[in-house]
Amino acid sequence: MNAYQTLAEIQRDLAEGACTVPSLVESYVQTAAARASLNAWLEWDEAAALEQAAGVQARIGRGTAGPLAGLVLGIKDVICYRGRRLSAASRILEGFESQITATAVERLAAADAVILGRLNCDEFAMGSSNENSAFGAVRNPLDESRVPGGSSGGSAAAVAARTCHAALGSDTGGSVRQPAAFCGLVGLKPTYGRISRWGLIAYGSSFDQIGTLTHSVEDAARLLHVMAGPDGRDTTASPEPVPDYPAQMQAFADRPLRIGYVQETLDSPGLDPEIRAQMQALMGRLQAAGHTLREVHFPLMPYVVPCYYILTTAEASSNLARYDGIRYGHRAQDAASIDALYRRSRTEGFGAEVQRRILLGSFVLSSGYYDAYYRQAMKVRRLIRTHTLELLQDCDVLLTPTAPGTAFRLGEKSGDPIAMYLSDIYTVHANLAGIPAISLPLGLHSDGLPTAVQLMGRPFEEGLLLGSARKIEQTLKNSLM
């Protein structure tokens, strides 16, 4: 099978008869089986996918196929798909079968995307390495001794290994963008509320957003265009009109950009020197191409990680209270009382990182600490959003690294939660501010692994963000020619 970079390339071959949708599914399944050591897939349903593919192929023949015909997709194991297992990579949801299909998945399927199966992730999307899954760590397809990033590591690994063309992830603090960076992909987190969260298992409800992992900015725009929009089942889904993102992307890619680079991110002592040098080289090429670059400052940078972890753990402690061993999922055996049943079911069902975050969240919400931690963090979040939007008044996008380094080795940070949390130092900013952000491959490090650059944009101006990303994607491609 061809190593397709865009859906447009697949659809061209389908139109010319060089391949069929069922043959694409079969090829992806064969590759997934051959790369089983990655542990990216929790399950795939070849028969159901082939049945979907046959229907899409028939519609292609009749000229009635949807805009995503030919796209074979994997979905992160926190996104509901009716009649399929759903576990959030946790033992607490052992044996659970989803009763609904997420709005985002419904819209993709209606546009003729084929859903292949569900992908491994950090338990309840809590992690930066995909080592927290109850079903084992996921490995980076570019170097299996390394992590793929988290929490959407299975989604990133599956796409990078070409076991599906694209994948859905969820992004609470960088869980789409950081894995994209570690695996050399494009990772898009839209504005909070741009895509319905109906059918997405909640971690931090005011942060969570479904995002995409693709090989190109073009495909990210096409997927967003299908999924975005209001949803009566989700009151946080925005009623903002959905523009033609692919068309907007191209229009904005054809004009000069105003780019603000956040100096504090480049000055950070934790940033790998090679990534810093690559960022500076990119900025030089953009300036030479006629774009305006200006230094901007974000003095709140030291507070983004602590603010993020106070607020998200507080929300997690509330959201995960529903998993009690009573209604569904894992239930402890031979408990002597209802209190013991709750305690034992949750102790047995939740992994160490999830338990750590629940305890931290319960602490910051508890009497005597709520004002000192949670309320103060909410004030800081408001300051972060306000200052970020002020910076974006004079810039089309903000430019930062995506991650401070390349993919680290399995086990390297698993014993040090603080070091692990600092992997998100550049990505949590966009979630705290509720703005869209995208990660793009930047180059290769001397260790042979990909590096990445991040762009952040104004709320609901994904067209401009995607156009800017497309321009940078083209600039980087041209520099390699």
Side-chain angles (χ1 to χ4, degrees):
M1 183 181 69
N2 289 338
Y4 295 110
Q5 287 297 110
T6 67
L7 177 58
E9 295 171 5
I10 293 175
Q11 292 180 336
R12 180 199 61 213
D13 279 3
L14 288 169
E16 294 174 355
C19 65
T20 65
V21 183
S23 72
L24 288 170
V25 170
E26 290 170 349
S27 179
Y28 285 126
V29 168
Q30 289 170 7
T31 305
R35 308 267 345 234
S37 61
L38 299 176
N39 198 32
W41 292 89
L42 292 178
E43 65 177 356
W44 61 74
D45 190 334
E46 183 177 5
L50 285 171
E51 183 178 347
Q52 279 185 296
V56 174
Q57 189 64 44
R59 285 188 287 280
I60 290 173
R62 295 194 297 267
T64 59
L68 299 183
L71 179 72
V72 179
L73 186 79
I75 58 176
K76 184 178 179 179
D77 188 35
V78 292
I79 301 172
C80 295
Y81 191 21
R82 183 180 175 87
R84 305 289 180 88
R85 291 288 182 91
L86 179 72
S87 71
S90 178
R91 295 293 181 194
I92 199 76
L93 279 172
E94 187 175 24
F96 180 71
E97 185 177 287
S98 179
Q99 305 302 300
I100 63 170
T101 296
T103 298
V105 176
E106 282 182 347
R107 291 175 178 175
L108 292 170
D112 277 339
V114 173
I115 314 300
L116 184 54
R118 62 190 177 105
L119 295 157
N120 206 348
C121 59
D122 281 305
E123 185 179 8
F124 281 97
M126 297 181 190
S128 302
S129 65
N130 217 148
E131 295 174 284
N132 296 330
S133 171
F135 307 106
V138 177
R139 297 176 179 273
N140 191 315
L142 307 178
D143 179 348
E144 292 195 23
S145 70
R146 308 271 180 159
V147 303
S151 62
S152 306
S155 298
V159 177
R162 298 190 181 277
T163 63
C164 58
H165 183 69
L168 295 187
S170 64
D171 193 311
T172 305
S175 288
V176 162
R177 289 160 288 148
Q178 187 245 30
F182 283 4
C183 293
L185 301 171
V186 174
L188 173 66
K189 182 207 87 73
T191 306
Y192 180 80
R194 181 70 294 186
I195 296 175
S196 171
R197 293 186 303 113
W198 171 260
L200 171 65
I201 290 180
Y203 160 22
S205 299
S206 71
F207 293 81
D208 300 337
Q209 187 63 183
I210 290 174
T212 58
L213 291 125
T214 60
H215 293 287
S216 67
V217 176
E218 176 186 324
D219 282 359
R222 295 185 69 172
L223 286 166
L224 177 64
H225 184 62
V226 169
M227 290 187 289
D231 180 12
R233 297 172 295 188
D234 176 12
T235 57
T236 67
S238 172
E240 286 278 330
V242 179
D244 185 337
Y245 289 121
Q248 278 195 345
M249 174 195 70
Q250 193 56 53
F252 284 119
D254 291 337
R255 71 164 179 80
L257 301 170
R258 299 174 303 157
I259 301 170
Y261 59 94
V262 183
Q263 189 63 46
E264 286 82 359
T265 66
L266 297 176
D267 291 341
S268 171
L271 179 62
D272 184 286
E274 289 189 41
I275 296 177
R276 182 182 292 110
Q278 290 179 355
M279 291 286 296
Q280 291 167 340
L282 170 63
M283 288 156 53
R285 287 196 291 271
L286 290 170
Q287 201 155 24
H291 303 291
T292 301
L293 275 85
R294 60 186 295 257
E295 179 180 316
V296 299
H297 292 278
F298 189 71
L300 295 169
M301 185 60 66
Y303 305 103
V304 295
V305 170
C307 178
Y308 169 80
Y309 277 98
I310 287 171
L311 295 178
T312 55
T313 56
E315 294 186 12
S317 70
S318 176
N319 280 325
L320 272 62
R322 72 194 67 180
Y323 305 105
D324 53 14
I326 301 296
R327 286 163 286 188
Y328 43 74
H330 176 76
R331 178 181 294 186
Q333 300 299 308
D334 304 320
S337 65
I338 189 67
D339 182 68
L341 176 63
Y342 288 154
R343 187 185 310 112
R344 284 182 50 193
S345 296
R346 290 167 64 82
T347 299
E348 294 169 8
F350 288 134
E353 181 60 29
V354 173
Q355 291 185 35
R356 179 184 293 117
R357 298 195 192 195
I358 290 173
L359 289 170
L360 178 58
S362 299
F363 172 79
V364 301
L365 289 174
S366 63
S367 176
Y369 297 99
Y370 180 92
D371 288 337
Y373 292 100
Y374 183 79
R375 190 184 298 276
Q376 293 300 318
M378 287 294 288
K379 291 178 180 177
V380 173
R381 185 181 191 182
R382 170 56 62 183
L383 290 173
I384 288 170
R385 177 174 171 84
T386 299
H387 189 57
T388 302
L389 296 182
E390 287 173 354
L391 293 179
L392 284 165
Q393 287 178 359
D394 299 319
C395 303
D396 294 324
V397 291
L398 300 178
L399 182 82
T400 75
T402 306
T406 57
F408 45 89
R409 295 190 181 278
L410 288 157
E412 182 178 330
K413 297 185 180 182
S414 55
D416 187 347
I418 301 301
M420 188 73 77
Y421 295 167
L422 288 173
S423 300
D424 303 327
I425 189 169
Y426 301 132
T427 53
V428 296
H429 182 172
N431 299 82
L432 284 162
I435 59 175
I438 190 168
S439 177
L440 304 167
L442 174 60
L444 285 180
H445 193 275
S446 59
D447 62 11
L449 295 169
T451 58
V453 59
Q454 176 181 236
L455 299 177
M456 296 183 285
R458 302 186 198 106
F460 300 104
E461 292 195 20
E462 277 83 359
L464 175 55
L465 178 70
L466 290 160
S468 303
R470 178 63 174 147
K471 176 61 72 175
I472 290 177
E473 184 180 55
Q474 292 169 334
T475 298
L476 290 167
K477 181 180 178 180
N478 292 338
S479 70
L480 297 174
M481 294 177 66

